[in-house]
């Protein structure tokens, strides 16, 4: 793993909400910290209501994690474009985040219960 990336299982139960509606809740979330960036919570896909998410054509490439695919979130107030992302085939050094989805905390609420 790149020295500036740390992944750990976080304690407690985490929830993600869009416009107040619960999209998912997990006691098995991971926290990824990368350099000086704020920590990001990654939810196991099976703990997310995937019917609220639709994959978009957007992608980005990180030299340390691989190619991210993005999802639009449908909430009570409408669609939030590219509000979530996933590394479907992450690089080996961050393989723990495979099967997980992260959310932009400035677009949806991600919080510990």
């Amino acid at each position: 793993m790149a020295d500036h990336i740390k992944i750990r299982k976080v304690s407690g139960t985490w929830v993600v909400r869009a416009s107040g509606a619960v999209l998912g809740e997990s006691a098995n979330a991971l926290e990824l910290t990368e350099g000086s960036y704020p920590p990001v919570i990654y939810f196991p896909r099976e703990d997310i209501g995937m019917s609220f998410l639709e994959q978009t054509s957007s992608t980005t490439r990180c030299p340390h994690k691989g190619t991210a695919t993005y999802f639009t979130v449908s909430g009570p107030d409408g669609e939030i474009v590219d509000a979530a992302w996933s590394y479907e085939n992450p690089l080996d050094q961050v393989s723990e985040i495979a099967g997980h989805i992260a959310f932009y905390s400035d677009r949806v609420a991600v919080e510990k219960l």
Side-chain angles (χ1 to χ4, degrees):
M1 181 178 315
D3 289 341
H4 72 291
I5 296 177
K6 306 284 186 238
I7 300 171
R8 68 179 184 95
K9 184 180 181 316
V10 288
S11 64
T13 300
W14 289 78
V15 66
V16 58
R17 295 183 178 94
S19 308
V22 174
L23 304 176
E25 184 177 303
S26 182
N28 296 302
L30 299 174
E31 179 187 74
L32 183 144
T33 54
E34 183 174 4
S36 61
Y37 292 109
V40 175
I41 301 299
Y42 280 77
F43 290 83
R45 188 178 290 254
E46 62 268 14
D47 293 343
I48 298 295
M50 292 303 294
S51 60
F52 295 107
L53 279 70
E54 183 175 336
Q55 189 169 339
T56 71
S57 60
S58 299
T59 63
T60 57
R61 174 88 179 138
C62 171
H64 307 291
K65 295 185 292 285
T67 299
T69 57
Y70 289 81
F71 299 84
T72 290
V73 172
S74 296
D77 295 337
E79 293 186 341
I80 309 166
V81 177
D82 291 344
W85 72 92
S86 177
Y87 290 91
E88 302 297 317
N89 297 296
L91 298 178
D92 289 343
Q93 60 264 29
V94 293
S95 62
E96 296 163 271
I97 61 173
H100 288 69
I101 296 180
F103 296 83
Y104 284 107
S105 60
D106 62 339
R107 301 179 193 179
V108 300
V110 175
E111 56 198 11
K112 185 176 181 180
L113 294 180

